[in-house]
Amino acid sequence: MLTQYKLTLRPERSCTPRSEWAYRLYAALLSEASQDFAVSVHQDAVTPVSQFLTGTPQSLQWTVNLLGQESEAMLSPVLERLDRIWLEKDRVTLLTERRSSCVIRDVDELFTLAAHGGGTHQLRFCTSTCFKSQGRYLSLPTTRLIVQSLMKKWNGCIPECPIEDEDGQGMEALAVGLRPRSFRLHDQTYYLKGNAIPGFVGELTLENRLDGFHRELANALLCFADFAGVGIKTTLGMGGVEHITHT
């Protein structure tokens, strides 16, 4: 199960919000859940929550994605009743003005949704996105890095339908079959707990040139990006993605 919430938040007083506030919003969200869940949620390699913050000083949009039944059961009731959030460090209260949600019930529904789109996919990187390999930050996207990230998140959050790829050849085949058509990207640093993490924001359009099941799987993975995000620290506000498909 994949559930996406969008909350429109209004600061109670004049302030200068930053996308890095997403980390503090996430901490506030977990503080409303059970302590056992708050502890267990980070014990697996892939955390079943991604979230990010965008908007203007007058109106913020907080997107929260719950990846799996456990996070849905624990956090949906919190998000449904969350009317105000106090950010202690910034001394500001955020008021919930609107909320909406959408649900993908199972992996079959995700594949069906992906099949209704075309073979051209636009990924809009809304918050600073970065990858990491061998201890180094990689702040430029490649199709291989994108597919690798999405497959890891898929297998961590959809265990009932894992993508089997022990030798990595499947990932390589998907990456080769996704061709960049256009991009508009620029660098943007994400500040987290006093650390500056290099990254990028902007838009990347990919054309799916694969056939058969590989084509269907690539389409589903890119639709999944809308929920899972891309790259590192998507639980803490990085790698927020909006996915648009074109015929």
Side-chain angles (χ1 to χ4, degrees):
M1 176 180 287
L2 307 172
T3 306
Q4 182 176 88
Y5 279 89
K6 291 184 181 292
L7 277 66
T8 301
L9 306 176
R10 177 177 57 83
E12 203 170 37
R13 64 168 178 81
S14 177
C15 60
T16 304
R18 302 179 301 279
S19 59
E20 295 86 359
W21 277 14
Y23 170 69
R24 294 168 200 170
L25 286 169
Y26 175 64
L29 176 63
L30 281 191
S31 71
E32 296 292 326
S34 73
Q35 186 174 3
D36 288 344
F37 175 77
V39 171
S40 67
V41 74
H42 295 292
Q43 291 181 341
D44 295 328
V46 177
T47 305
V49 180
S50 74
Q51 54 89 31
F52 63 95
L53 186 68
T54 57
T56 67
Q58 294 75 36
S59 180
L60 298 167
Q61 180 170 279
W62 186 27
T63 301
V64 184
N65 297 289
L66 309 178
L67 313 175
Q69 292 185 350
E70 183 181 14
S71 57
E72 159 73 24
M74 293 294 176
L75 296 181
S76 273
V78 178
L79 289 164
E80 289 289 349
R81 68 172 185 264
L82 202 59
D83 292 327
R84 57 197 299 124
I85 306 167
W86 166 244
L87 300 183
E88 183 174 1
K89 185 173 182 179
D90 302 279
R91 312 300 294 175
V92 63
T93 298
L94 303 179
L95 305 175
T96 303
E97 292 197 320
R98 292 186 299 277
R99 87 186 83 221
S100 62
S101 63
C102 66
V103 178
I104 304 295
R105 300 290 176 187
D106 53 37
V107 72
D108 290 336
E109 189 173 336
L110 180 61
F111 270 94
T112 299
L113 176 67
H116 287 163
T120 302
H121 301 262
Q122 182 184 73
L123 297 179
R124 184 175 298 152
F125 301 97
C126 303
T127 60
S128 183
T129 304
C130 181
F131 305 92
K132 198 169 186 179
S133 177
Q134 298 179 345
R136 295 175 53 244
Y137 290 125
L138 306 176
S139 55
L140 282 175
T142 65
T143 55
R144 185 182 185 280
L145 287 171
I146 291 170
V147 169
Q148 184 180 45
S149 171
L150 290 173
M151 285 179 63
K152 179 180 179 181
K153 294 176 190 297
W154 178 295
N155 285 338
C157 298
I158 311 179
E160 68 275 14
C161 184
I163 300 173
E164 303 288 350
D165 187 33
E166 293 183 4
D167 59 5
Q169 293 303 306
M171 179 188 67
E172 295 294 346
L174 293 179
V176 169
L178 294 174
R179 304 290 180 86
R181 285 185 52 178
S182 64
F183 61 89
R184 291 185 298 172
L185 304 170
H186 64 85
D187 63 297
Q188 182 169 297
T189 300
Y190 195 84
Y191 295 93
L192 183 64
K193 301 179 182 179
N195 296 316
I197 302 175
F200 64 90
V201 294
E203 298 176 357
L204 171 65
T205 300
L206 300 172
E207 181 182 356
N208 186 351
R209 296 188 178 183
L210 295 157
D211 296 315
F213 180 70
H214 276 161
R215 180 180 179 85
E216 295 176 6
L217 179 57
N219 284 340
L221 271 174
L222 293 171
C223 285
F224 179 62
D226 200 57
F227 294 86
V230 170
I232 64 172
K233 302 187 185 302
T234 52
T235 304
L236 305 181
M238 294 187 69
V241 169
E242 290 181 356
H243 166 266
I244 302 167
T245 185
H246 303 281
T247 57

